[in-house]
Amino acid sequence: MVAQRFASFGESVFAKFTRLAVQHGAVNLSQGFPDFDGPQLAKDAAIAAINAGHAQYAPMIGVPPLTKAIAEQYASRGFDVGHGKGVIDPVQHVTVTCGCSEALPATLMGLLNAGDEIILFEPYFDFYIAGTVMANATPRFVSLHAPTRAGAPFTFDEKQLRDAFTPRTKAILLNTPHNPTGKVYTRDELELIASLCIKHNVVCISDDVYEHLTYDPALPHIPISTLPGMADRTITLSSLGKTFCLTGWKVGWSLAPAPLSACVRAAHQFITFSGPTPLQHGAAAIIHDMTHKPSAFVAQIRSLYASNRDKLAAALMSVGLTPHRSDSTYFLMADHSEVSRRLGLDDDVAFCEYLTREVGVASIPPTVFYDTKSLGKPLVRFAYCKKEATIDEAIKRLGALKK
Ligand code: GLN
């Protein structure tokens, strides 16, 4: 009975591997969510909002304290929506959604007409392709290639990117820092993307949900909307969940100039209309706090994740998997081909199922993130956004692969 537009997707890979992890008692390094709590300040503010009776629909664009806190947060970092750096109006430029998960289809459906083309980098977060299908638009892919040299980042080919732009291209969807590779796009890469957006009059949708989770000071997150000529053609998407370990709160937003905010709102008002009111108040408190003083919570999780990443990468190497460099996000990719050859496993799905069932560690098979399936088959994605003890337990279990 499932409509054709969704039938080919089957069960979401995140639902499947979290289900398998529970079924087999595996350490769950599949779906990207922290296994510990968010900051008390946000929780107290959300509980206070419930007790104060904030129980009715939030305004379609979000509760005023939150839209204001988001606008101030971006203004303080020099973001631009076409009125000069730091000039952001909550009412015109910010739209609160039910997580970035809603902001994505709202943006895609609000912006794209049937037959419009959108450029996606593969591997892509699977919502991008589902959202493109919901919008009846046509995806064009640019591949991020795994490095052949240890310690090098994933890179794309300039010619493939240039060739992806056609007269039908209306948008490009950028995700930096990037899930699933942990890549942070460099200034040179972003300048190239920006110059092509400007040349072809294309809108850039920038999914920045991992913006605060970078681990190498030499590779900071650079918001593409701050590059010359990009302010009035960028829709920046982000959320509370990744930064503050509150993925289940589902508070996300878009930041865009008024004509592009209108696209997001056109769809958002008919998808959810608005997100949960008390949680928006909780989000407002913690975002306001981080604008006015450096967030100790964020500093702490950054250092935890960087240390988890290093430990996990070393452990993967010691059992014959080849981890690739990850400078950000919750994730790292590793090459499993050698181990899979030894075990007689065909591809990433077979490897991840084996790992969950026999080794007791769940991961994600990344072919679902690729149009060019051959690029994803040798790879596996691990989430390291966990307590140290969880990573230690996973490392202990991964030792079984040595045999
Ligand atoms: N962003 C999360 C990940 O990549 C998953 C979100 C979801 O479950 N849809 O693991």
Side-chain angles (χ1 to χ4, degrees):
M1 291 295 279
V2 174
Q4 271 171 17
R5 74 174 71 83
F6 292 115
S8 67
F9 292 108
E11 184 187 16
S12 142
V13 73
F14 304 112
K16 174 178 166 182
F17 276 88
T18 286
R19 179 170 54 72
L20 287 180
V22 172
Q23 191 181 324
H24 296 284
V27 178
N28 190 1
L29 307 188
S30 66
Q31 194 178 22
F33 61 87
D35 58 352
F36 52 91
D37 209 354
Q40 195 60 41
L41 179 70
K43 290 170 33 177
D44 288 343
I47 292 163
I50 291 177
N51 287 330
H54 289 295
Q56 310 310 327
Y57 299 128
M60 189 269 283
I61 67 165
V63 300
L66 179 56
T67 52
K68 183 164 175 277
I70 293 168
E72 277 175 9
Q73 162 61 213
Y74 281 124
S76 74
R77 290 160 59 202
F79 270 70
D80 193 347
V81 285
H83 301 274
K85 287 203 188 287
V87 184
I88 296 173
D89 172 10
V91 176
Q92 288 191 73
H93 305 139
V94 177
T95 308
V96 176
T97 54
C98 247
C100 189
S101 321
E102 187 216 332
L104 282 162
T107 303
L108 294 165
M109 288 195 283
L111 179 71
L112 301 174
N113 288 303
D116 284 342
E117 289 181 5
I118 176 165
I119 299 171
L120 304 177
F121 288 91
E122 63 173 356
Y124 42 73
F125 180 48
D126 60 349
F127 273 50
Y128 302 169
I129 197 81
T132 299
V133 166
M134 285 187 236
N136 265 318
T138 305
R140 288 209 162 233
F141 301 99
V142 176
S143 309
L144 289 169
H145 292 278
T148 45
R149 185 166 54 79
F154 280 69
T155 49
F156 62 88
D157 175 50
E158 177 171 338
K159 179 166 183 325
Q160 197 192 12
L161 177 66
R162 286 186 183 279
D163 291 349
F165 283 83
T166 79
R168 308 190 78 146
T169 310
K170 188 160 185 195
I172 182 167
L173 208 171
L174 173 71
N175 171 218
T176 184
H178 182 255
N179 173 12
T181 63
K183 172 187 175 65
V184 179
Y185 282 69
T186 63
R187 186 170 290 279
D188 284 352
E189 289 171 331
L190 295 172
E191 279 173 354
L192 172 65
I193 295 167
S195 72
L196 292 167
C197 287
I198 293 163
K199 177 173 169 200
H200 296 276
N201 193 23
V202 159
V203 172
C204 181
I205 303 165
S206 189
D207 175 351
D208 292 12
V209 292
Y210 299 99
E211 59 188 328
H212 296 291
L213 301 177
T214 55
Y215 314 121
D216 180 352
L219 256 183
H221 166 59
I222 301 169
I224 196 163
S225 75
T226 60
L227 266 49
M230 291 306 286
D232 54 10
R233 60 175 69 252
T234 303
I235 303 175
T236 300
L237 307 181
S238 194
S239 79
L240 183 78
K242 305 296 187 291
T243 310
F244 290 108
C245 306
L246 296 167
T247 61
W249 281 31
K250 305 297 285 186
V251 177
W253 55 80
S254 67
L255 174 78
L260 292 176
S261 288
C263 301
V264 180
R265 292 171 181 187
H268 161 69
Q269 64 182 343
F270 295 124
I271 301 177
T272 57
F273 184 79
S274 60
T277 307
L279 300 181
Q280 292 193 27
H281 284 284
I286 195 73
I287 293 170
H288 175 82
D289 183 69
M290 104 183 286
T291 305
H292 294 276
K293 63 176 194 298
S295 168
F297 184 88
V298 174
Q300 207 181 322
I301 60 166
R302 279 165 81 153
S303 102
L304 171 68
Y305 293 169
S307 139
N308 285 349
R309 172 202 60 183
D310 293 345
K311 269 184 162 177
L312 183 62
L316 294 174
M317 197 114 81
S318 76
V319 297
L321 297 161
T322 312
H324 290 302
R325 170 180 181 149
S326 159
D327 290 298
S328 177
T329 74
Y330 282 178
F331 310 110
L332 68 77
M333 294 266 256
D335 192 302
H336 62 82
S337 9
E338 238 180 83
V339 174
S340 282
R341 208 170 303 127
R342 178 157 57 75
L343 296 170
L345 301 166
D346 280 345
D347 58 13
D348 59 325
V349 177
F351 175 77
C352 291
E353 286 176 358
Y354 175 90
L355 203 67
T356 308
R357 218 179 35 239
E358 306 296 330
V359 178
V361 177
S363 54
I364 291 284
T367 41
V368 56
F369 306 143
Y370 284 89
D371 184 59
T372 317
K373 298 293 178 200
S374 59
L375 293 177
K377 278 192 178 160
L379 299 172
V380 48
R381 189 195 81 171
F382 291 97
Y384 53 75
C385 50
K386 304 289 172 181
K387 289 188 264 204
E388 191 182 3
T390 308
I391 296 295
D392 289 345
E393 178 60 27
I395 289 173
K396 203 169 96 194
R397 295 181 182 201
L398 285 166
L401 281 178
K402 263 190 193 152
K403 286 178 221 152

